[in-house]
Amino acid sequence: MIDIFMPGRFCVFGEHSDWASEYKLVNDEVENGFAIAIGLDEGIFLSAEKSALFSYEFNTDSLTLDRVELINREEKDFFEYVVSCAKVILKEYGIFGIHIVCRDMTLPMKKGLASSASICMGVIRAFNLLYNLKLKTEDEMAMAYRAEQEVGSKCGKLDQICAYGRGVRQIEFDSGKPKVELINCKGEWNFLIVDLNGEKNTKQILSDLNKCYPYSKNSQMEAMHEVLGKYNKYVVGKARRCFEKGDALGVGKLMVEYQTKFDSFVTPFSDELKAPLLHMLFDEIARETDVLGYKGVGSQGDGMAQIIVSNKEKAEELEEIIRNRLNMNCINLSIRGAEYD
């Protein structure tokens, strides 16, 4: 029996630029993707052991399949991601026997914090360790990405960055291939990641936005390509320099600027991005002192929001305000320079 912890991640900047960059293979005018992501302490806790069958348990839900049942299972339900991972392993290595128990999940699901990628990475890593497949982290990430694609997700390769664990990282996507660098950030950073207690359909968001690629058909699509391309590259580059200098105010200003651009030029292409709860939160906190900036998380929509504040005390005060006034819960993330890795 082995134990595995796979954290979530939240994307500070660069959402959607990962999958968009893959269209560079068709249209060389598409810009490389760039993102800054932070590994979380929240995540998924698994225990796994070899078995004659494939089985997965979480709370009162469980699934057990033999080889033929695994191959033939096509249901779109709670188990579709773990089943897809097992199918990928079976196709590549001819093995499938594993018993996995999800002991705990501190990561909210379907909120933009890479919960589906975390579970896929966890299952792939369980097979890798139990069967000594000798997969490198990048190989695990590629297989987890493939498993997500095979359930119909049009996600890019940003979510699988959770495989690296804690740390602030810049990721460059050249035709979808990730190049990852750990950022040596300075100073103290205080984020609130807010659960909006709403609903978002990430698959629909991705489907809607992918229709705008590989070529822009009008000036509106051209502007959308600009936001996810050249403008995003500029923002990520400037934000990285802010992290390296300890300039939290600079990052906060970039958040607000980016969110305004996103709302103006990307949101019109998907009704899921209108996000009334997200903007209600922004209206509420914009009047608060020591709030440096805010924007959506992940694919955006009414899943999660991120706020950066000036100090830890303000983060705790604002967390209470958000919980009491808006009935929204928060993850309080404090980073002290290069210690967070």
Side-chain angles (χ1 to χ4, degrees):
M1 179 76 71
I2 60 171
D3 293 328
I4 293 171
F5 169 69
M6 189 60 61
R9 67 97 191 97
F10 94 92
C11 175
V12 187
F13 294 103
E15 56 264 41
H16 298 299
S17 74
D18 54 343
W19 60 258
S21 69
E22 296 184 17
Y23 287 104
K24 190 175 181 180
L25 294 169
V26 181
N27 178 4
D28 59 10
E29 292 186 1
V30 172
E31 178 62 74
N32 283 2
F34 291 86
I36 292 177
I38 300 179
L40 299 175
D41 291 325
E42 289 72 21
I44 296 171
F45 299 79
L46 304 176
S47 294
E49 61 185 343
K50 289 183 179 179
S51 170
L53 303 171
F54 173 79
S55 61
Y56 183 86
E57 297 179 25
F58 177 57
N59 291 338
T60 58
D61 296 314
S62 63
L63 177 73
T64 301
L65 303 171
D66 62 25
R67 184 188 185 101
V68 174
E69 290 170 333
L70 175 64
I71 292 172
N72 293 329
R73 194 175 196 276
E74 300 293 342
E75 283 84 347
K76 299 295 183 183
D77 59 11
F78 176 78
F79 297 105
E80 63 178 328
Y81 286 98
V82 296
V83 167
S84 185
C85 291
K87 286 184 176 183
V88 167
I89 292 291
L90 179 59
K91 289 175 185 176
E92 288 296 319
Y93 298 100
I95 57 177
F96 75 99
I98 197 168
H99 174 61
I100 300 175
V101 178
C102 181
R103 295 179 284 108
D104 194 14
M105 180 182 289
T106 57
L107 188 67
M109 299 175 64
K110 298 182 179 181
K111 298 293 185 179
L113 298 181
S115 60
S116 58
S118 296
I119 191 59
C120 288
M121 280 300 313
V123 172
I124 295 295
R125 184 159 293 175
F127 275 109
N128 186 26
L129 295 178
L130 283 173
Y131 285 93
N132 195 27
L133 301 179
K134 302 186 186 304
L135 295 172
K136 297 179 181 178
T137 300
E138 293 75 14
D139 300 325
E140 294 177 328
M141 292 166 64
M143 298 192 79
Y145 171 74
R146 178 176 157 191
E148 287 213 58
Q149 291 286 297
E150 293 188 2
V151 300
S153 172
K154 295 183 181 293
C155 66
K157 297 178 180 176
L158 173 59
D159 290 358
Q160 286 74 36
I161 297 303
C162 63
Y164 289 105
R166 286 163 56 98
V168 183
R169 292 177 171 84
Q170 176 183 297
I171 310 97
E172 179 179 359
F173 302 93
D174 185 355
S175 301
K177 299 175 183 177
K179 176 185 175 183
V180 184
E181 296 179 355
L182 189 66
I183 296 175
N184 182 19
C185 61
K186 296 180 180 178
E188 183 175 318
W189 300 80
N190 296 280
F191 293 92
L192 285 178
I193 309 173
V194 184
D195 185 343
L196 300 170
N197 282 336
E199 295 183 359
K200 63 181 290 186
N201 187 332
T202 301
K203 286 186 178 180
Q204 187 62 55
I205 293 171
L206 293 170
S207 177
D208 290 340
L209 298 187
N210 270 266
K211 293 174 184 176
C212 300
Y213 283 83
Y215 300 99
S216 56
K217 301 179 179 66
N218 52 49
S219 59
Q220 288 78 20
M221 285 189 183
E222 187 175 340
M224 182 261 215
H225 281 213
E226 179 79 14
V227 171
L228 299 185
K230 291 180 181 179
Y231 173 72
N232 178 71
K233 178 181 179 180
Y234 154 78
V235 167
V236 169
K238 191 170 182 179
R240 175 171 184 164
R241 293 190 291 274
C242 289
F243 273 106
E244 291 171 337
K245 293 187 298 183
D247 182 7
L249 178 59
V251 168
K253 289 180 177 179
L254 284 171
M255 284 184 181
V256 177
E257 177 187 308
Y258 184 96
Q259 187 66 47
T260 301
K261 288 271 192 181
F262 190 94
D263 288 339
S264 297
F265 299 110
V266 182
T267 294
F269 291 98
S270 178
D271 287 342
E272 283 285 325
L273 293 174
K274 292 179 179 177
L277 295 176
L278 180 72
H279 292 92
M280 179 179 72
L281 171 68
F282 293 163
D283 291 340
E284 184 70 31
I285 65 172
R287 299 185 294 271
E288 293 291 330
T289 58
D290 295 314
V291 170
L292 307 181
Y294 42 82
K295 66 182 286 292
V297 169
S299 59
Q300 296 244 4
D302 269 342
M304 305 286 284
Q306 58 181 293
I307 307 169
I308 185 169
V309 297
S310 59
N311 56 72
K312 189 173 183 179
E313 292 73 23
K314 180 61 182 181
E316 292 171 352
E317 175 189 330
L318 189 60
E319 181 178 1
E320 186 173 350
I321 290 171
I322 292 171
R323 184 174 59 250
N324 293 336
R325 291 185 191 173
L326 302 177
N327 193 32
M328 298 174 178
N329 296 320
C330 303
I331 296 172
N332 197 321
L333 176 62
S334 293
I335 299 170
R336 189 175 294 277
E339 295 176 10
Y340 194 79
D341 55 30

